[in-house]
Amino acid sequence: MTRPTTTLATLTAAAALLLTGCTQQAPEPLPTQATTETPTPTPTTAIGPYEAAAPKDEATAINDAAAAYQQFLDIRAELNANPGDTKPIEDIAQASALTDAQGDNEKLAKAGAHVSGGNTFELDTDMSYTSPVLDGNGNTTNEYGTATLKGCLDRTKLIIVNKDGSTSKGADHDPRFKVEVIAVYDVQQGRWYIDAERYHAEETC
């Protein structure tokens, strides 16, 4: 199967800062309370592949691929909220989309930082289109199996929480900008994979 590959403009991870604790003194006659660690966030996103029937027309392919991309963004946000484990992203991403997501998560983990919130994709149906998926011999396995999605990526709710508790937006440009996404349908597994993202940060939306 031929799967296109493009370059991802990666998330800017916050710098690692030293974490300082504090001790809380309870009113008399209660003793001083020990500092407690912030509990690890509990995953709320349905983490896993985006499974769907093989698309039989362009409209279905575009809508399913867009839903798969939003699930990819949600899973990525969930994993970046507690960095360290990127295994689940392998069920829904491949090529540069996978390696860039893994790299961003690793940067956050090394910095002792994490992400709060996430990204939302707004699909431009009129500008999106499909093309066939080909196998290793150049034969078409699905006429609509490669979706090129165009739309707006909304990062207004994305916040990077540094190790010391300070926050940053993680971007030096408008939080809403155009994005192009390649999604590929795997006929054998019956699921969509996000293959690549192209950020157009200079084009706001």
Side-chain angles (χ1 to χ4, degrees):
M1 181 185 302
T2 300
R3 296 177 179 171
T5 303
T6 51
T7 302
L8 166 71
T10 58
L11 170 70
T12 303
L17 298 173
L18 294 178
L19 177 65
T20 54
C22 61
T23 302
Q24 179 181 356
Q25 181 70 37
E28 293 294 341
L30 297 176
T32 301
Q33 297 178 352
T35 303
T36 57
E37 296 181 357
T38 302
T40 300
T42 301
T44 56
T45 301
I47 294 179
Y50 187 87
E51 298 178 338
K56 297 181 179 180
D57 55 70
E58 184 168 74
T60 299
I62 289 173
N63 288 333
D64 283 348
Y69 181 52
Q70 184 59 59
Q71 183 162 315
F72 164 78
L73 294 174
D74 293 343
I75 293 173
R76 193 170 176 179
E78 193 74 67
L79 298 179
N80 287 344
N82 185 30
D85 177 20
T86 59
K87 184 69 175 176
I89 207 74
E90 296 176 11
D91 288 333
I92 200 169
Q94 63 183 15
S96 64
L98 173 61
T99 56
D100 288 332
Q102 291 171 329
D104 290 341
N105 188 276
E106 182 180 356
K107 291 176 184 177
L108 289 168
K110 288 182 177 180
H114 67 276
V115 165
S116 174
N119 299 330
T120 302
F121 177 60
E122 299 169 5
L123 175 68
D124 185 339
T125 305
D126 293 337
M127 295 299 293
S128 302
Y129 58 91
T130 63
S131 56
V133 173
L134 306 178
D135 62 19
N137 297 318
N139 300 315
T140 299
T141 60
N142 187 277
E143 189 68 28
Y144 309 99
T146 299
T148 299
L149 307 175
K150 297 193 177 185
C152 184
L153 189 67
D154 185 349
R155 295 177 51 159
T156 55
K157 295 182 179 180
L158 179 70
I159 298 174
I160 295 176
V161 182
N162 300 305
K163 189 175 182 179
D164 69 343
S166 63
T167 61
S168 60
K169 296 296 291 184
D172 57 1
H173 47 72
D174 192 288
R176 288 177 55 87
F177 54 85
K178 292 185 178 181
V179 64
E180 180 178 332
V181 179
I182 305 297
V184 178
Y185 185 77
D186 189 312
V187 176
Q188 293 183 337
Q189 298 192 62
R191 64 177 66 168
W192 284 91
Y193 283 92
I194 305 307
D195 191 86
E197 300 170 290
R198 288 195 191 102
Y199 289 174
H200 301 286
E202 72 284 356
E203 299 181 45
T204 59
C205 49

